Amino acid sequence: MSQNEITIRKPFDPHAHLRSGQMLRKVLSYTSCIFPRAVVMGNLENDPVDNAKRLVAYRDEILKADPGFEPVMSVMLTRNTTVESLDACWKAGAKVLKFIPGGVSTGGAEGLDLPDLKFQTHLLKKARNLGMIFSCHFELASDENGAAIPKGRQEYWAIGYLKEIIRAVPGLKIVVEHVSSEEMIEAVLEAPLNVAATLTAHHAILTVDDVLDSRENIINGLNYCKPVAKDIRDRHAVRLAMTGGNPKFFFGSDSAPHPLDRKLGSEPAAGIFTAPVALPLLCKIFIEENGIGWLENFVSVYGPQFYGLPVSEGTLTLGEEPWEVPFDLDGVPIFMGGKKLQWKVM
Ligand code: NCD
Ligand code: ZN
Ligand code: ZN
């Protein structure tokens, strides 16, 4: 038994990519052994979960792989989404309407960008009226003239659209996913209480220098995710928001596995597999920031509160026991692979 131990109620992950088929069967237990409940994202390659039939089949696939896990289902907002399809998805159990604008990340909605949401307010109002949460990847890939926005500024340029949605659909519960910049943290702080944000462990660890060169070429695909990690000032803001005890900010892993060959080469896939290391990393961050007393609220309480879900009854213990992170899980690179971590899930 290790000398130092921290026991918390089991966490909730409102942002997990579990994929399907072989990949799902490979990675699922790394989420389910820590998070009894997680919001499962449906940005499946060439097969977005955007209708009730697909949603039910995907949930069945997950439950078949692990009957003890509770997937909180999300439905992707795509060009196929209608008021009627949202109704059907709600009846089939979808709790979350999820949007990744086209071209900003893995599995973005083709041909549907953040500015297009102003033509979709009827869908957002429908989601609100049903009681769905709108979980959104706020990044803008190109400006109104079609000019590309640098990766490091895409979240910043999305802030205006967040504000527009807040105004246009009052009362809609919005989760601003994987916030990575000081400016977006401020926007969430200023927003009404129906607006919250998830923070990842990796955005509290990486800076842009771990990912891109000064021309934004990817220098380490293993650290490449969207939004990209930013500078020290932003990372500091993420760490403060994370460890400060504000219920507007809670954990969302954005654990996003990709096979090794997709993470290397000149155009790596965006997304990093963090489920096996997230809790140990958070434990260290919270100790470093003198906020360890807030860890349980951040990972296990504030998220369920915002989603209207029960806090888990089981507990999880982290112990101080150095271990080396394996490089990969059967061909799927793990975040911090090869590095030593101080804390371990016991
Ligand atoms: C995610 C993925 O791989 O599905 N990638 C990422 O870089 N975060 C999608 C997403 O959350 O944007
Ligand atoms: Zn995203
Ligand atoms: Zn994601």
Side-chain angles (χ1 to χ4, degrees), residues 15-71:
H15 190 149
H17 300 274
L18 301 175
R19 316 303 191 201
S20 64
Q22 217 188 348
M23 181 67 101
L24 169 74
R25 292 191 295 276
K26 212 182 272 189
V27 301
L28 176 58
S29 68
Y30 290 82
T31 287
S32 64
C33 72
I34 294 172
F35 308 93
R37 204 179 270 124
V39 175
V40 179
M41 299 310 184
N43 60 330
L44 306 180
E45 219 168 350
N46 304 319
D47 184 23
V49 178
D50 66 355
N51 62 73
K53 195 167 161 237
R54 188 67 191 91
L55 184 119
V56 169
Y58 187 38
R59 182 177 44 215
D60 288 349
E61 188 191 0
I62 296 166
L63 288 175
K64 197 170 162 218
D66 186 345
F69 174 63
E70 191 183 316

Side-chain angles (χ1 to χ4, degrees), residues 15 17 19 43 105-106 137 178 225-226 254 256 258 270-271:
H15 190 149
H17 300 274
R19 316 303 191 201
N43 60 330
S105 192
T106 304
H137 181 129
H178 44 45
C225 64
K226 291 298 301 296
D254 194 19
H258 291 278

Side-chain angles (χ1 to χ4, degrees), residues 97-141:
L97 176 61
K98 155 91 175 172
F99 183 51
I100 305 179
V104 303
S105 192
T106 304
E110 296 263 333
L112 210 55
D113 206 346
L114 209 43
D116 300 321
L117 283 188
K118 67 170 169 290
F119 306 110
Q120 311 291 345
T121 51
H122 62 295
L123 298 177
L124 299 182
K125 284 180 181 157
K126 178 70 187 178
R128 175 196 62 193
N129 297 347
L130 288 168
M132 276 183 176
I133 286 176
F134 181 53
S135 185
C136 184
H137 181 129
F138 279 97
E139 284 199 294
L140 190 66

Side-chain angles (χ1 to χ4, degrees), residues 116-342:
D116 300 321
L117 283 188
K118 67 170 169 290
F119 306 110
Q120 311 291 345
T121 51
H122 62 295
L123 298 177
L124 299 182
K125 284 180 181 157
K126 178 70 187 178
R128 175 196 62 193
N129 297 347
L130 288 168
M132 276 183 176
I133 286 176
F134 181 53
S135 185
C136 184
H137 181 129
F138 279 97
E139 284 199 294
L140 190 66
S142 50
D143 68 16
E144 58 272 33
N145 303 316
I149 296 170
K151 289 191 181 71
R153 299 297 286 164
Q154 292 182 355
E155 185 175 276
Y156 174 78
W157 282 100
I159 292 173
Y161 294 98
L162 167 64
K163 291 187 174 170
E164 266 184 38
I165 295 167
I166 292 170
R167 259 196 311 274
V169 194
L172 173 68
K173 276 191 164 187
I174 302 173
V175 171
V176 185
E177 299 176 346
H178 44 45
V179 172
S180 63
S181 62
E182 184 173 34
E183 288 90 347
M184 187 59 102
I185 285 172
E186 272 163 20
V188 171
L189 282 169
E190 282 166 17
L193 287 176
N194 52 300
V195 180
T198 53
L199 300 172
T200 74
H202 48 281
H203 288 107
I205 290 169
L206 300 171
T207 68
V208 63
D209 298 331
D210 299 309
V211 196
L212 306 177
D213 68 14
S214 58
R215 294 175 152 184
E216 292 211 322
N217 297 308
I218 297 166
I219 52 170
N220 187 349
L222 298 177
N223 289 334
Y224 179 54
C225 64
K226 291 298 301 296
V228 288
K230 309 232 162 18
D231 63 24
I232 292 177
R233 181 190 62 111
D234 297 295
R235 184 177 65 180
H236 184 62
V238 167
R239 292 173 78 113
L240 286 187
M242 186 176 261
T243 58
N246 185 332
K248 272 187 160 222
F249 297 99
F250 43 83
F251 181 57
S253 74
D254 194 19
S255 183
H258 291 278
L260 185 60
D261 58 343
R262 298 277 313 274
K263 293 299 289 168
L264 304 174
S266 58
E267 275 179 63
I272 48 189
F273 180 41
T274 56
V277 293
L279 264 289
L281 293 174
L282 288 172
C283 193
K284 178 155 184 280
I285 293 163
F286 274 72
I287 290 169
E288 285 169 355
E289 300 295 335
N290 292 316
I292 192 67
W294 294 111
L295 176 68
E296 182 176 50
N297 281 342
F298 179 70
V299 298
S300 312
V301 179
Y302 295 155
Q305 265 169 11
F306 192 81
Y307 280 76
L309 293 165
V311 173
S312 304
E313 277 167 19
T315 60
L316 169 147
T317 297
L318 288 143
E320 200 168 6
E321 189 181 304
W323 61 293
E324 190 177 308
V325 182
F327 179 76
D328 67 329
L329 165 68
D330 193 15
V332 179
I334 302 173
F335 183 52
M336 304 283 281
K339 303 243 162 63
K340 265 228 166 90
L341 301 191
Q342 214 175 325

